[in-house]
């Protein structure tokens, strides 16, 4: 794979902040190995302690809703990649905007899914962003 091709497939760098990196790791693990992936669960237990269940269940719910609502495949890179796909970057942007600009988050989500209505997944994305913020790891 040439460098130019790699930057086309993985156009964005991973975020430097711990919260979006944790979310990206779990998103990738669940996307590749299923919703019950032990590495994703372990990462959430390590980050959130005894309060890990709420963000974990919300991320699992979001993954299911995204897969059901998407009108095209959503590209996910392996967990070890230092760069992100456009889809992964969009998910992180949606979650960072969900608490401050829900109209923008809904437009981004509808564009990502290739649909006009994204209210269901947006509600779950907002709840996930709230859970991360409540537990001291804001995504935005």
């Amino acid at each position: 794979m040439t460098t130019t091709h790699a930057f086309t497939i993985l156009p964005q760098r991973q975020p430097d902040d711990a919260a979006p990196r944790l979310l990206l790791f779990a998103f990738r693990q669940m996307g590749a190995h299923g919703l019950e992936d032990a590495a994703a669960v372990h990462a959430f237990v390590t980050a959130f302690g005894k309060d890990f269940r709420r963000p974990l269940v919300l991320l699992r719910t979001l993954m299911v809703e995204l897969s059901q609502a998407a009108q095209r495949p959503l590209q996910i890179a392996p967990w070890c990649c230092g760069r992100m796909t456009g889809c992964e970057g969009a998910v992180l942007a949606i979650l960072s905007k969900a608490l401050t600009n829900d109209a923008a988050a809904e437009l981004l989500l509808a564009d990502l899914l290739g649909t006009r209505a994204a209210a269901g997944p947006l509600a779950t994305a907002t709840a996930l962003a709230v859970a991360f913020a409540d537990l001291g790891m804001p995504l935005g």
Side-chain angles (χ1 to χ4, degrees):
M1 178 183 316
T2 65
T3 303
T4 305
H5 186 63
F7 285 115
T8 303
I9 295 172
L10 303 166
Q12 300 172 8
R13 284 187 30 169
Q14 276 193 20
D16 293 326
D17 295 335
R21 287 178 73 91
L22 170 65
L23 183 79
L24 181 63
F25 171 77
F27 187 81
R28 287 175 170 179
Q29 285 295 112
M30 288 181 194
H33 304 290
L35 298 177
E36 302 293 327
D37 181 72
V41 174
H42 181 266
F44 272 51
V45 169
T46 301
F48 297 117
K50 64 182 178 60
D51 297 319
F52 77 97
R53 284 182 188 85
R54 184 171 143 218
L56 180 65
V57 168
L58 287 167
L59 179 57
R60 286 174 173 165
T61 304
L62 181 62
M63 298 282 295
V64 169
E65 289 180 353
L66 291 177
S67 69
Q68 289 174 345
Q71 299 299 308
R72 58 178 171 253
L74 302 178
Q75 292 181 324
I76 298 175
W79 69 269
C80 58
C81 285
R83 300 186 64 84
M84 299 185 296
T85 67
C87 293
E88 293 168 337
V91 168
L92 291 180
I94 290 160
L95 290 166
S96 72
K97 292 181 186 314
L99 299 180
T100 58
N101 190 347
D102 62 339
E106 185 171 15
L107 284 173
L108 285 171
L109 185 55
D111 186 51
L112 173 69
L113 298 174
T115 184
R116 290 183 179 208
L122 179 62
T124 304
T126 302
L128 179 59
V130 168
F132 265 73
D134 286 351
L135 296 172
M137 295 188 79
L139 293 168

